[in-house]
Amino acid sequence: MDGTTGTVQRVLTQPLRPLGVTVGVLLVVATLAAVAGTPWQTHASMAAAIVQMVAAVVMGVIGVGLAYISWAADA
């Protein structure tokens, strides 16, 4: 029972931690979806595809960073 109580207390003291992890994971999944969409085959110009891929990579880095910071906040 003590492990469950400790988990509940930790969540209550940091209510935004689950939200930060969830949003970070969502951004990583969106990055994978952007890459899976193969923008280099659907855009008329290669410059637009490159911009989209750079933005997807930046979004993935932000997502990983947010999830890591939220997860390791009490470490």
Side-chain angles (χ1 to χ4, degrees), residues 6 14 18 31 38 52 57 59 61 64:
Q14 295 181 353
T31 299
T38 59
Q52 185 175 359
V57 168
M59 180 173 59
V61 169
V64 168

Side-chain angles (χ1 to χ4, degrees), residues 8-29:
V8 170
Q9 290 294 337
R10 191 172 59 233
V11 169
L12 290 176
T13 58
Q14 295 181 353
L16 294 179
R17 179 181 178 192
L19 181 64
V21 173
T22 303
V23 170
V25 170
L26 180 66
L27 287 174
V28 172
V29 170

